[in-house]
């Protein structure tokens, strides 16, 4: 049978077909499996096969088609650079795959930096819970019920009576530490705080603070100033200027807010400093005697200072991040700019 002979001959040809390079598989495909290829041609022969042989011939043809397709697959695999066994099939000079290196979040960078600066002054790390009770967040901090100062911070309540809330400031950690530990106390407490505010470039419903507390005999306002002055110089450089403005916090007396000269415009006036040349970075003061008394610490014997600063603000001045929302959007284009910053 003529068809049978043809198929046998093609099979032999195919078996001895050797792949030289990537094109071999493709030229094989065109020759045998293409629209004008040999397999198609032979299929056409079916019409000349007498009826009583059609079944047998059909089987033969299908087998041949399968055989050819298998050979094509093998050729393809052999000529792919990934599976090729011959050294010349791999181009070692091609650039390697990109290795994506993770980055620290800018707030983590700033947080670690702040901790390390205060560590050098003997402040140790302290932490407290983000869900607080009324006592630790408000009452013990000299803000009894119905105290107007509570309105300064719009609070998220988790539960009323007894009150459970999301802490509005890290000052609650002062309470957590003073109820367990007696002076000397020297702590630094970074953490997330929550306030019920409309989210915008300048306000967010959560942000981060760092609280500092130093209670011992003979701690003075001069110590507070010098400590904070050291901090800003370490953080922003020796040239930075500071100023203290009288302020009010229920848990400190006297109280002061501290400004540094605007690092964005260097005093010329810009959006960040609202054209004043100064940016507020923290609240501070001498620990109120009532607060010390709340924890059984004798205010006649001990004095202390406390401060609380906004981490996002420090980050804004250090890295020019001008929209608070960027910190929590997980945008890789923002985050990857901090690659390689170790601190
Ligand atoms: N807790 C204050 C605030 O959130 C900051 C502060 C801390 C002020 C410690 C004085 C002393 O605004």
């Amino acid at each position: 049978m003529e068809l049978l002979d043809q198929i046998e001959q093609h099979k032999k040809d195919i078996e001895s077909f050797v792949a030289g390079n990537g094109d071999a598989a493709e030229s094989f495909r065109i020759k045998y499996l293409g629209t004008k290829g040999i397999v198609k041609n032979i299929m056409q022969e079916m019409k000349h096969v007498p009826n009583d042989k059609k079944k047998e011939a059909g089987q033969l043809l299908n087998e041949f088609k399968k055989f050819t397709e298998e050979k094509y697959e093998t050729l393809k695999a052999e000529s792919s650079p990934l599976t090729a066994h011959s050294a010349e099939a791999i181009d070692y000079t091609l650039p390697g795959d990109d290795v994506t290196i993770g980055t620290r979040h800018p707030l983590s960078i700033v947080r670690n930096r702040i901790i390390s600066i205060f560590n050098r002054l003997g402040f140790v790390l302290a932490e407290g819970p983000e869900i607080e009770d009324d006592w630790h967040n408000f009452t013990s901090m000299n803000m009894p019920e119905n105290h107007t100062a509570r309105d300064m911070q719009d609070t998220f309540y988790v539960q009323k009576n007894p009150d459970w809330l999301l802490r509005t400031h890290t000052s609650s950690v002062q309470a957590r530490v003073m109820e367990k530990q007696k002076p000397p106390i020297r702590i630094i407490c970074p953490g997330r705080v929550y306030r019920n505010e409309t989210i915008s470039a300048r306000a967010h419903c959560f942000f981060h603070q760092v609280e500092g507390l130093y209670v011992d005999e003979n701690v003075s306002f001069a110590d507070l100033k010098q400590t904070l002055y050291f901090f800003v110089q370490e953080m922003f450089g020796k040239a930075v200027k500071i100023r203290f403005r009288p302020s009010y916090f229920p848990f400190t007396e006297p109280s002061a807010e501290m400004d540094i000269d605007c690092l964005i415009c260097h005093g010329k006036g810009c959006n960040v400093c609202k054209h004043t040349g100064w940016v507020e970075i923290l609240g501070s003061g001498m620990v109120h005697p009532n607060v010390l008394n709340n924890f059984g610490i004798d205010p006649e014997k001990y004095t202390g200072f406390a401060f609380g600063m906004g981490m996002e603000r420090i980050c804004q001045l250090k890295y020019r991040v001008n929209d608070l929302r960027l910190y929590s959007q997980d945008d890789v284009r923002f985050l990857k700019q901090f690659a390689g910053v170790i601190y």
Side-chain angles (χ1 to χ4, degrees):
M1 185 194 179
E2 213 195 330
L3 192 60
L4 193 74
D5 291 339
Q6 272 185 40
I7 289 176
E8 279 314 319
Q9 186 51 50
H10 285 314
K11 272 190 163 176
K12 272 187 204 135
D13 289 349
I14 288 170
E15 247 149 9
S16 56
F17 194 98
V18 220
N21 53 48
D23 289 336
E26 182 56 7
S27 50
F28 178 89
R29 190 191 64 79
I30 292 165
K31 184 172 177 194
Y32 289 97
L33 296 163
T35 36
K36 294 191 177 110
I38 286 165
V39 172
K40 268 263 159 56
N41 263 338
I42 290 186
M43 291 289 189
Q44 305 274 311
E45 296 293 308
M46 273 295 279
K47 29 182 204 277
H48 307 303
V49 177
N51 275 345
D52 59 330
K53 294 267 165 59
K54 271 214 157 68
K55 195 177 166 202
E56 200 192 326
Q59 257 171 11
L60 262 169
L61 277 173
N62 274 337
E63 262 169 39
F64 175 59
K65 190 167 173 242
K66 222 175 126 205
F67 175 78
T68 315
E69 281 165 351
E70 271 164 16
K71 177 71 179 182
Y72 173 57
E73 288 305 322
T74 322
L75 284 174
K76 245 195 346 197
E78 278 171 2
S79 61
S80 136
L82 288 176
T83 45
H85 298 296
S86 57
E88 50 284 38
I90 299 171
D91 185 352
Y92 291 103
T93 64
L94 286 172
D97 285 342
D98 242 7
V99 179
T100 320
I101 298 171
T103 68
R104 275 197 203 287
H105 192 282
L107 288 174
S108 299
I109 296 168
V110 162
R111 175 186 180 274
N112 293 348
R113 183 94 189 249
I114 296 172
I115 293 171
S116 106
I117 294 170
F118 281 101
N119 274 174
R120 278 186 276 145
L121 293 175
F123 287 76
V124 297
L125 193 68
E127 278 173 320
E130 289 181 17
I131 298 177
E132 266 299 2
D133 51 32
D134 179 276
W135 167 257
H136 292 92
N137 195 80
F138 290 128
T139 308
S140 69
M141 287 291 114
N142 202 28
M143 285 190 267
E145 225 181 305
N146 302 322
H147 194 292
T148 46
R150 289 190 179 202
D151 301 338
M152 285 162 72
Q153 305 171 351
D154 290 309
T155 312
F156 281 120
Y157 284 89
V158 176
Q159 182 191 297
K160 287 294 241 173
N161 281 324
D163 288 356
W164 286 97
L165 48 92
L166 298 180
R167 68 177 177 198
T168 58
H169 55 182
T170 43
S171 299
S172 58
V173 187
Q174 289 190 35
R176 290 272 161 199
V177 171
M178 282 190 283
E179 72 187 356
K180 286 212 198 74
Q181 200 187 316
K182 295 300 154 230
I185 294 169
R186 217 182 311 178
I187 50 159
I188 187 89
C189 340
R192 186 175 279 187
V193 300
Y194 302 82
R195 288 180 201 182
N196 193 356
E197 293 193 34
T198 312
I199 297 169
S200 71
R202 302 181 138 266
H204 210 293
C205 59
F206 67 80
F207 56 98
H208 299 78
Q209 287 188 330
V210 185
E211 192 85 6
L213 175 69
Y214 182 14
V215 185
D216 202 351
E217 290 177 46
N218 302 318
V219 177
S220 70
F221 200 89
D223 295 322
L224 164 67
K225 273 184 106 168
Q226 205 50 48
T227 302
L228 293 175
Y229 195 40
F230 175 80
F231 164 72
V232 289
Q233 289 200 327
E234 289 297 299
M235 192 74 194
F236 298 112
K238 295 275 181 242
V240 68
K241 292 202 259 312
I242 61 167
R243 86 176 175 187
F244 280 80
R245 274 180 297 106
S247 185
Y248 170 76
F249 298 102
F251 30 90
T252 47
E253 181 58 37
S255 303
E257 280 172 315
M258 192 177 96
D259 301 340
I260 63 173
D261 60 325
C262 184
L263 300 167
I264 311 281
C265 67
H266 296 286
K268 287 193 198 81
C270 68
N271 281 342
V272 175
C273 63
K274 300 196 196 103
H275 301 277
T276 63
W278 295 95
V279 200
E280 181 205 319
I281 63 163
L282 57 84
S284 65
M286 301 307 291
V287 180
H288 198 290
N290 288 355
V291 174
L292 294 175
N293 271 329
N294 281 338
F295 299 100
I297 298 170
D298 181 1
E300 297 298 326
K301 185 167 180 212
Y302 296 105
T303 50
F305 69 71
F307 59 87
M309 67 180 122
M311 226 131 83
E312 278 81 355
R313 175 50 65 81
I314 306 286
C315 204
Q316 172 181 41
L317 294 170
K318 191 123 185 102
Y319 299 117
R320 319 267 149 126
V321 181
N322 55 13
D323 188 330
L324 280 177
R325 292 167 293 195
L326 285 166
Y327 293 118
S328 49
Q329 277 167 340
D330 285 346
D331 188 331
V332 179
R333 290 167 303 179
F334 169 66
L335 296 171
K336 75 177 176 195
Q337 297 177 76
F338 298 90
V341 187
I342 307 154
Y343 253 126

